[in-house]
Amino acid sequence: GNLDFTGASGADLAVSYPGAAGGGQILLYSSLLAPTTPTLNPSPVRIVGPLTFGTAISIGRVDTDTNGDLVAATNFATANFAWVLYQANGAFESGVVGSSPQFWQSRFDATVLTGVATSRLGSSNLVADVTGDGLPDLVLGDLGIGEVRIWR
């Protein structure tokens, strides 16, 4: 996604790991060292949520600041949630996990979007300017009720 989440000087790699022991996770690996010989930081930052957290993730600039943001969804049979993790402004802080879901609260401010009882909200998601107004939009597919919702 070519965005910095860990405070290093280069782009980071975001990988989802739904169903991980202890809850689904998004792993943030600090900047890849070189394109020809990629080396990953062996200790990724872990953002932890419910069991299927991270089933679908997107990265982009959801709000209008210059920081990259994350969108993550669960994949439960019903009543799914999608989280928008806004990267906080200001200087980089060391990761301090908060209460569950553990969204590395010194770095991200989380907003939860809740579907209806039969929802699969966020089963697909995208951050892009789909309305053509030059501002970022959040698109969440809902497989359970056959809808696509756009937040702009």
Side-chain angles (χ1 to χ4, degrees):
N2 200 28
L3 296 174
D4 175 24
F5 294 105
T6 60
S9 60
D12 299 327
L13 175 65
V15 179
S16 64
Y17 186 15
Q25 302 176 17
I26 295 175
L27 308 177
L28 297 177
Y29 290 91
S30 187
S31 53
L32 298 177
L33 300 180
T36 55
T37 56
T39 302
L40 298 179
N41 181 335
S43 301
V45 172
R46 296 177 189 275
I47 301 173
V48 181
L51 181 63
T52 61
F53 175 75
T55 299
I57 65 170
S58 293
I59 61 173
R61 290 183 173 90
V62 177
D63 51 8
T64 56
D65 66 19
T66 60
N67 297 321
D69 305 307
L70 290 163
V71 178
T74 57
N75 191 19
F76 295 120
T78 60
N80 280 344
F81 302 98
W83 284 271
V84 180
L85 306 178
Y86 296 100
Q87 189 174 180
N89 288 320
F92 175 75
E93 301 173 6
S94 60
V96 176
V97 282
S99 59
S100 181
Q102 298 175 359
F103 290 145
W104 194 17
Q105 292 180 5
S106 65
R107 192 68 175 163
F108 292 100
D109 296 323
T111 297
V112 65
L113 303 171
T114 307
V116 297
T118 58
S119 177
R120 305 286 298 265
L121 185 64
S123 49
S124 61
N125 54 57
L126 171 70
V127 178
D129 177 16
V130 297
T131 59
D133 61 2
L135 298 172
D137 302 309
L138 173 59
V139 181
L140 297 179
D142 193 327
L143 184 63
I145 59 174
E147 283 185 0
V148 173
R149 299 181 190 186
I150 301 174
W151 282 262
R152 44 190 186 121

